[in-house]
Amino acid sequence: QLDPGPLIHHPSRRDVVFLLDGSDGTRSGFPAMRDFVQRVVETLSVDDNKDRVSVVQYSRDPAVQFYLNTYTTKGEILDIVKRLRHKGGRPLNTGAALQYLRDNVFTPSVGSRRPEGVPQLLIVLSGGRSFDSVDAPASALRDLGVITYAIGTRASDSRELQKIAHEPRYALSVSEFTNLPDVQEQFSSVMSKVVVSTTHMTPTGPGKKMIDFKAERHPSRRDVVFLLDGSDGTRSGFPAMRDFVQRVVETLSVDDNKDRVSVVQYSRDPAVQFYLNTYKTKGEILDIVRGLRHKGGRPLNTGAALQHLRDNVFTASAGSRRQEGVPQLLIVLSGGRSFDSVDAPASALKHLGVITYAIGSRASDSSELQKIAHESSNVISVSEFTDLPEIQEQFFVMSRVLMNTTHMTPTRPGKKMIDSKGQTEHDPSRRDVVFLLDGSDGTRSGFPAMRDFVQRVVETLSVDDNKDRVSVVQYSRNPAVQFYFNTYATKGEILDTVRGLRHKGGRPLNTGAALQHLKDNVFTASAGSRRQEGVPQLLIVLSGGRSSDSVTSPASALKDLGVITYAIGSRFSDRRELQKLIREPSHVLSVSEFTDLPNDNLINTLTELSDDDFKDVVFLVDGTTAVRSEFPSIREMIRRVVDKLDVGLDKVRVSVVQYSDDAKLEFLLNEFSTKDEVRQAVTKLRSKGGSRLNTGYALEWVSRNIYQRSAGSRIEEGVPQFLILVTGGKSTDDVSGPAHQLKTNLIAPIAVGSRNADPNELRQISLTPELVYTVNSFQQLPSVEQQLIASVNTMTTDKISEYIPSIVPSSSSGIAHIRDFIISIVQQLDVQPDQVRVALVQYADRATTEFSLNSHNNKPAVLSAIKRLRQMGGRSSDLAEAIDYVMRNELKASAGVRVAEASQHLVVLTGGRSSSDVSHLGRFLKDSQVNCIGIGADAADTRQLNQIATSPDDVLQVQTFPGLPGIQDRFIARLSGTSTDEIPTDIDFPSLPKAKVADIVFLMDGSINLGKDNFKVVIEFIYNLIDLFYTPRDNLQIALAHYATDVTDVFYLNTYKNKDDILSAIERTEYKGGRRINTGAAIRHVQENHFKKARGSRKDEGVPQVLMIVTGGRSADDSKTAALGLKASGVRIYAVGVGDIENELENLGSESSTVHSNYSETDLYSYCHYLHTTMLCVTACSVEVLVGFDVSSQNIFTAQTNLQSKMGAILQRISKMGSISCSSGQIPSVLVGMLAMDSASEPVQLDFTDNADELFEAFRALRSRGPYVLNTKTIAAYTDRFKSRQDNVVKVVIHLTDGLDAPYAEMKRREAVLLEFGRGFRYTRPLRINIMDLDYELMEELVIILGKSGVAGPPGERGNPGRRGPKGAKGQAGDRGAMGIRGDPVSTFYLTLIHTTQSMQSSMFAQLGQQECPLYPTELAFALDASEGVARPAFNNMRNTVLRLVNDITIAESNCPRGARVALTLYNNEVTTEIRFADALKKRALVQRIEGLQTLQTRKQRSLETAMNFVAQNTFKRVRSGFLMRKVAIFFVNGEVKETQSISAAALRLYDAGIASVFLLNRDQQINNTALAQVIVLPSNGTAQYNSVIQKIMNCHVCLDVCSPDQMCDYVPRSFSRDRRSFTSDVDIDMGFIMDSSESTYPTVFTEIKRYIAHIVENLEVSSNPTSSVHHARVAVVQQAPYEFVRNNTGSPIRVNIGLTEHRSAQSIINFLQEKTPQLEGGWALAAAIEQTVEQVFERAPVQRNRKVLMLFVTGGVEKEEERLVRVATEAKCKGYFLVILGVGDKLSAGDARVLSRMVSEPSDVFFKRLDKISHFYDKHIQTFGHLLPKYISSKSHIQIKSVYFMLFISFTPFQLFLLLQTSVFEFTKYRFIHRAHQKHHENHQAVHQRKHKGKILVH
């Protein structure tokens, strides 16, 4: 019998079952699992039969090790557990194991005591993802009442563990099972605290007692608020959030007024959708929720939203019943990290008693969610918000549990709670003063003195004119209010009542309860408190003894309320208790007896509250590495200033921020409440470090994050705001805009700079020039401290505003009079959420919202916001645009409009004529049911006002703005006399053009190439371009930089938010000059510093990224490579040249239409208009791919064995296309369908979809429905299928065929009429299904097709400005005209044929003629053996072979990239060049030269390695360039080949140089195999075997078709590299990369090093199980050397960024490397770094590989450390490590290169690469080296050990060698053993390999 309810269980007894993963994947971790079980069992009480234990192991099937009743003692269990052996097997069926436990282990027959109410615990340890589903079995166990804990590793599926666990917090994770001890304590804690909630089981056996239950207590009433993330990042997840809200609301009791609901959406600002008292029925709420629309916007200010809820939603006026004790619930759904701080607002909500649940996605910050939530268990995470249904039940359970344990203290009935801390300006001239008098038995004798004290204080107050109000409360056991604030209105009445006070008496003394009573009943608006109006709240406590209850919480609540408390105690008081009551130590006063209470002077001091006491001071200090040595002086200066200020939460607040590249918050203004706390925090400051000084960014960051109410700033209350900037250098970014914004916000910047600071910049930042202080060094800061303190102490808000002309309106502007008029109107309105709502928008040539209708929900808050209104400024008055802005942004439901409940009014106040027409807006407003009142003054146009007003009576005019009070009554009458019907909530403007969205960076040449005059012209060009196409409706972000040898960032994408600020900054840009321009470096700088999310780039959101580069000369560096890199990242480049530099521009621009060369200023101006119409006209890329196939068999997969796997890869690849040129970096829309024609000529169709998996499954279902054919009906079916699709998409057919099923001529004719083949009949090298990377090939074809499809093609040629004409036929070349109308869409589609049989090539393409040989342009070198012993017949045989080969190939006779060029050398122990490539001999002359070759009479011995090295390093030194260029070398060897180290090195040199090598031997020799070259025995001329060999050399080397090698080719040489893809190298290897992060490594160099490492890693087959598998590659990345090691010789010389076992895929490594690996910026300790990497990274890793590689990137000098470096490198090589070094940059000397060459493995010229410039990373040779490095190592690794000691011996002096051998004998023995084992393995492998590929060579 089942009956849900919490079970009264037996906590003293438990049944514990362990379920252990015994699959193959946990073999290495099983001992740790076994130890974990032992440790848990040790804690159980088994011997007295309280606890029982069972252990089950599982993989494919479960295996019970023992049941719950098998053993009865702990000793027996521990013995069995210790002997457990790993089960093994696969796959991992966790679901089946859980079901097995339910059916076979948690049963009474095997010892389960579940029917007796004994808790059932299951502990699951799983090391991987289950092969079957766990949902149903886990749910079944939960229904059974089993409490499940799930512990997984990083290989586990976290969501699966959550499903298994009883609650999400019962799911724990460790990196590996060996880390289980780390969570043992956490697990024990969770396990011990669990409250077992199981299922009601009625026992059936006799004698069993019925189990008792506790009824669940449901709270009768709740106020529930939903706070929904409406930012841009949650657009796709918002429907799921909305559904979640619906489901929760469905469970509430709204209709009977038990529960109330409010919904708030937020991004940058919060928007209340409805308040708690807006709707009374569940139906109304659900209707509104269903209609919610995503708000959008950025950034995500969660802190501000939480504060808004506290101040405006959890209030009585908004429907909150908190004061009645109704629980207050907040459910936050946040999909990202907050841009502002959540600490203070979250704490404030907790103090208010709000219970908060936080639900986040994977993009959320878990630590932030913990701060928001009421407690840590109230945090729930989902991968995406679409997964919310999965945690719905968990959420309901959690909320019920918490609600059952939450108690709300109701306040006194009838008293209204004010929730705001006071949003209005602070008014120091008024005070609300409360006296709390100790009336207990202990103060009877002192009470008259307390009464007299109150009298004397009241005498000093201004009560009669209602400035001050007074309340008196007496207390002992309970408080007793003598009178409230609003009880008496005159001082006389108060004094009379005070004189008549009588001692209350009673005990004990409950000070805590009295303080709580004051908070709930006295400091409230209903009791007369004016806290919401900004009036200071003072509490004077007189206490004569120690409280018997706690004062901590009530005192804290009063502080949060903003109450300033003074505490006076007697000798019987507890001083520490009094300290808890107050904020400042000076607010505590002690007297011996109350008869000694202070005199009048002290009373005045005690109650004095001046505006000068309040300051907010922020220190913004330089934290760069450059001033690190002087940072202690900065820290001491801050400490001394703090000491001299009156620091406290109710006096001077202090915050500290450090900055360099970015900003780092040290502490907020409201983080500390006492001077001591601030002082301690200051002493802990340490320099953050960093290379760049971004002062402008830091100023903006402080403005956005610190001067906010949520961060403790009292800026809204009128408290003076100060910023003290301490900087040691010139900013690398613009400071003018951010500094101006600070001053506009009434913040006073004070600038302190050292000698390296820019005085002009400091003056630009500071409020006035007098507030700039300079010192030679920061040690001299004490000399300016007094002036700093004086500035802070004497400056008031009014004085600050005097220095800011732009916000103090002139008499003509009238902003002050407008502000006062609006205030006077609002004061007469009933401003409440359910009554009148107010919004304010200011406009000039643009409009900006000051606050929206739902921003404030009470009158004081609205008035405070209006008082902060300051004139925005502007060049013109665009009323039409402003009204458009209001209708689109403010008169919408999301901004607070109540369509059905309230009339809508628009009040326009203007002092001038609109610059645009407003005549159409009157009708528009009336149709929208918006009443418009127009108020004009000065030069306002009455006609325009009449055009927009509802009626002529709604036009009010005054001569000047000071006359506004004269029309106040008329205005109120018009406002109250109008009414409206319903209006639409969303208004569309179909006539308006679509808003533009883009991130545009302008990069302009600032050198003398452009010149000062042209610089101004270009500035004007950029200014006009922005002014022309940037409208207020657009969502554009603009950045600007200029460059010469280096780059100056003027402003970033996120620096300015509107057009005016951008244009002003452009106007201020100054010409700097410079002789050289490094355009390549500038482009890389822009890529790394502008097109980044931190700088405002919205690339991740799909926003087009555009670079406009304007240059006046040729770059001194490699600009082409940099531009290619930027374009590859999805940025569209427009290149404009001033002057004749067209070739340079072609290398930069994205395409020909984005390149423009200007020869005059007029031309530049016309180009501006051209760009206006074309720059952002990018059409989205859409492509539909139809995949077809034909197979001449019923079972298609039996006939074509590769078809299934290849089809899966094709569908996956093409459905996940990346960004391409036609979409300006945006991801194209790709839909894929399938079609096949059956034997009855009926098409079988699978619908278009973007889900490749579903399509593939549908394809597999066609397995036995063949055959399918390819004929003309097939092509007709393709055509018909596409006819029903949209026209404006690219249509592509990919057909996999095993041959034509119709005559070729008919198919060809059909194609010519209807089709353009993407790669089919027109190509001599068709695609075939046996190509290894067919999916990549097809991806390339798609990109090519899309590039030429015209979907988003470039605009036409630009001409002189003129009117747009009709579309016409193409005419003769003439003057360029305006861009024409876009042509009609085409229906052409593209067909790609892929061969599934070899016969296709011959049957279908035989008519196309014989292929040319060589197929690719080739450089062909011959090396003929001319050593001693080579007789004439042998030499003639070699020469004739060369002639035979040359005669049969095409010889290049021009610069055209086709045919072969030939070089020829003769060799013995020297090399003689007979023919060079550069000779460029025509075929006849070449043949004649070869025919004239004669043998040499010599005694010189053969040295094959000399010839190989010469060919690699000299012969191929000057070759033709080109992507398809092949290099082939053929060596003739007329004798025995001896395997030596030098030959091995030479073979690697050839391979490294991209040269395919063939060795023609005169006899058969036993030579080891390798993939580096091929050896062929050359028979005598004239034999059949000879002809066969010649054919093999031709087909497999000279004329090789790399896409379709001949079947006779048992060896395919290395081909040219591919641009669009790379092949992974499957080698068992450990690779460690050591990056030099010292000062010699510039940030750009460091970035390129990381990119190169990523290039290497992406070509590796990375191990998916690095901790236990011995196969595939593992990667580690370290940096050397941390600052602490270099400076203090402490810690490690390396920082390990990526460990060998931390990642399971190449992409994971690359992502971490590029996104989470910042530069160390440390020192240099290369030798120690190598040693530490070997010892700590490699040798501590499990399952070490035989192949171990250390790759070093070195940027600084090493020559001074030569001896140690060579010794350390040699020791590493002795241990079997392969050393590769890249020397990067121009700081390496020839001596440094020599040392590094000694360090690397041989051959040193292969494994030491010198890169003078970072652009060399992109050289084809270096890219190929990185791609093939694992293969090099693989071929070298087995000879590394036996050759290393030879190198060791020749590298040292005899004495050094003796010392080394003394210390290395153990290592030598160890590695001899390793080598022998490896050699044996290699010999076994060789025997097999040799049988398969006879004729290959491994050169030792």
Side-chain angles (χ1 to χ4, degrees), residues 989-1273:
F989 297 86
S991 62
L992 293 173
K994 187 177 179 181
K996 296 183 282 292
V997 182
D999 294 338
I1000 307 173
V1001 179
F1002 290 90
L1003 176 64
M1004 57 181 295
D1005 184 344
S1007 71
I1008 60 174
N1009 291 320
L1010 200 62
K1012 191 168 187 178
D1013 292 339
N1014 274 332
F1015 185 86
K1016 292 178 181 177
V1017 171
V1018 173
I1019 284 290
E1020 186 176 355
F1021 160 70
I1022 295 173
Y1023 184 100
N1024 290 334
L1025 181 60
I1026 294 173
D1027 199 28
L1028 195 62
F1029 72 64
Y1030 190 171
T1031 71
R1033 298 178 62 251
D1034 295 332
N1035 186 8
L1036 297 178
Q1037 293 188 158
I1038 308 291
L1040 175 64
H1042 55 84
Y1043 74 100
T1045 51
D1046 54 9
V1047 182
T1048 299
D1049 297 310
V1050 182
F1051 53 88
Y1052 296 102
L1053 289 168
N1054 56 2
T1055 302
Y1056 299 113
K1057 307 301 182 189
N1058 58 72
K1059 183 164 88 173
D1060 284 338
D1061 291 344
I1062 292 168
L1063 294 177
S1064 297
I1066 291 172
E1067 284 183 311
R1068 295 193 300 269
T1069 305
E1070 297 178 357
Y1071 174 71
K1072 293 205 171 182
R1075 294 190 175 276
R1076 289 184 2 153
I1077 57 169
N1078 291 329
T1079 308
I1083 292 173
R1084 281 189 289 273
H1085 174 90
V1086 166
Q1087 183 174 2
E1088 294 161 3
N1089 294 278
H1090 285 266
F1091 291 109
K1092 292 292 183 183
K1093 190 172 183 178
R1095 299 297 193 193
S1097 172
R1098 298 168 291 176
K1099 179 183 176 183
D1100 293 347
E1101 302 161 34
V1103 172
Q1105 307 290 288
V1106 178
L1107 172 66
M1108 165 75 76
I1109 181 166
V1110 185
T1111 182
R1114 302 185 189 282
S1115 176
D1117 64 354
D1118 181 7
S1119 59
K1120 182 178 180 179
T1121 302
L1124 286 172
L1126 184 60
K1127 285 181 276 191
S1129 71
V1131 177
R1132 187 173 178 84
I1133 301 180
Y1134 287 79
V1136 181
V1138 179
D1140 186 10
I1141 52 168
E1142 197 154 352
N1143 290 339
E1144 175 88 1
L1145 300 178
E1146 291 291 346
N1147 289 335
L1148 301 179
S1150 290
E1151 55 199 45
S1152 59
S1153 64
T1154 66
V1155 172
H1156 186 79
S1157 184
N1158 297 279
Y1159 301 97
S1160 68
E1161 183 177 335
T1162 304
D1163 200 20
L1164 196 61
Y1165 176 75
S1166 65
Y1167 189 57
C1168 175
H1169 286 267
Y1170 165 75
L1171 284 172
H1172 171 228
T1173 59
T1174 62
M1175 189 170 187
L1176 297 178
C1177 297
V1178 178
T1179 306
C1181 255
S1182 296
V1183 58
E1184 292 181 348
V1185 181
L1186 199 53
V1187 181
F1189 59 92
D1190 63 271
V1191 180
S1192 55
S1193 173
Q1194 181 176 357
N1195 191 312
I1196 61 177
F1197 299 148
T1198 302
Q1200 294 294 335
T1201 55
N1202 286 337
L1203 183 59
Q1204 182 171 344
S1205 62
K1206 291 295 182 181
M1207 185 67 80
I1210 291 169
L1211 296 178
Q1212 287 291 341
R1213 184 69 56 189
I1214 62 180
S1215 64
K1216 294 180 172 60
M1217 286 188 70
S1219 58
I1220 54 177
S1221 62
C1222 74
S1223 56
S1224 286
Q1226 299 180 79
I1227 305 300
S1229 168
V1230 181
L1231 294 177
V1232 187
M1234 297 190 78
L1235 184 148
M1237 185 66 65
D1238 65 17
S1239 56
S1241 294
E1242 290 295 328
V1244 177
Q1245 302 184 18
L1246 302 178
D1247 288 340
F1248 284 98
T1249 178
D1250 58 359
N1251 190 320
D1253 295 328
E1254 289 181 1
L1255 188 61
F1256 182 59
E1257 289 304 315
F1259 164 71
R1260 291 176 62 188
L1262 302 178
R1263 172 192 297 269
S1264 302
R1265 294 177 57 182
Y1268 298 99
V1269 298
L1270 171 60
N1271 55 28
T1272 55
K1273 290 185 177 180

Side-chain angles (χ1 to χ4, degrees), residues 284-543:
E284 290 176 306
I285 293 173
L286 290 174
D287 286 343
I288 296 298
V289 170
R290 291 187 194 104
L292 286 181
R293 293 294 177 265
H294 188 258
K295 178 179 187 294
R298 64 185 51 186
L300 189 67
N301 289 329
T302 310
L306 295 173
Q307 188 66 40
H308 184 85
L309 295 183
R310 188 203 181 285
D311 297 339
N312 300 280
V313 178
F314 287 109
T315 62
S317 59
S320 169
R321 298 168 292 176
R322 186 175 61 82
Q323 281 192 300
E324 302 169 32
V326 175
Q328 307 290 288
L329 271 65
L330 169 61
I331 302 167
V332 180
L333 286 90
S334 173
R337 185 173 186 175
S338 178
F339 195 68
D340 61 355
S341 173
V342 302
D343 297 11
S347 178
L349 284 170
K350 291 173 186 174
H351 281 310
L352 210 63
V354 177
I355 304 163
T356 305
Y357 303 87
I359 303 175
S361 70
R362 61 183 171 192
S364 308
D365 184 337
S366 58
S367 62
E368 186 174 87
L369 297 178
Q370 296 275 357
K371 293 177 183 176
I372 294 171
H374 186 264
E375 54 185 59
S376 58
S377 60
N378 285 17
V379 174
I380 303 177
S381 288
V382 291
S383 178
E384 303 288 348
F385 282 125
T386 49
D387 299 329
L388 281 170
E390 298 177 14
I391 56 96
Q392 192 98 22
E393 188 58 36
Q394 175 193 347
F395 171 76
F396 288 147
V397 171
M398 179 194 298
S399 60
R400 281 200 298 270
V401 170
L402 190 63
M403 288 306 306
N404 291 341
T405 59
T406 305
H407 303 282
M408 305 294 291
T409 306
T411 57
R412 196 175 81 178
K415 295 299 179 185
K416 188 176 179 181
M417 190 63 172
I418 306 297
D419 290 44
S420 174
K421 284 188 177 181
Q423 289 182 306
T424 55
E425 294 181 7
H426 171 64
D427 187 352
S429 64
R430 298 188 292 166
R431 289 168 292 193
D432 292 342
V433 184
V434 178
F435 294 90
L436 180 61
L437 309 181
D438 180 348
S440 66
D441 291 347
T443 61
R444 192 174 302 277
S445 61
F447 190 76
M450 297 162 68
R451 186 174 56 208
D452 293 342
F453 172 79
V454 175
Q455 280 184 254
R456 292 197 302 276
V457 173
V458 171
E459 289 283 2
T460 68
L461 302 178
S462 302
V463 180
D464 294 324
D465 51 3
N466 198 28
K467 287 186 174 178
D468 298 328
R469 293 183 180 178
V470 179
S471 171
V472 175
V473 180
Q474 202 182 158
Y475 78 104
S476 53
R477 176 189 293 272
N478 301 309
V481 179
Q482 308 295 322
F483 53 89
Y484 292 97
F485 287 124
N486 53 7
T487 304
Y488 302 115
T490 68
K491 186 185 293 185
E493 290 175 307
I494 293 173
L495 289 174
D496 287 344
T497 302
V498 170
R499 292 188 194 104
L501 288 179
R502 294 293 176 267
H503 187 258
K504 179 180 185 294
R507 63 178 57 183
L509 188 67
N510 291 329
T511 309
L515 294 172
Q516 187 64 43
H517 185 84
L518 295 182
K519 176 187 178 295
D520 296 339
N521 299 281
V522 178
F523 288 110
T524 62
S526 58
S529 168
R530 296 167 295 177
R531 185 174 59 83
Q532 275 195 307
E533 302 170 34
V535 175
Q537 308 290 289
L538 273 65
L539 169 62
I540 302 172
V541 179
L542 287 88
S543 173

Side-chain angles (χ1 to χ4, degrees), residues 659 693-697 727 729-735 758 761 765:
Y659 80 102
L693 195 64
N694 290 331
T695 309
Y697 169 80
T727 181
K730 179 176 172 58
S731 176
T732 57
D733 61 356
D734 174 62
V735 301
D758 184 342
E761 189 173 85
I765 294 170

Side-chain angles (χ1 to χ4, degrees), residues 73 217 409 436 596 598 784 806 867 960 1001 1103 1194 1281 1769 1849:
T73 69
R217 182 177 69 86
T409 306
L436 180 61
D596 299 327
V784 299
S806 62
K867 289 174 184 177
T960 59
V1001 179
V1103 172
Q1194 181 176 357
R1281 182 74 184 276
F1849 297 152

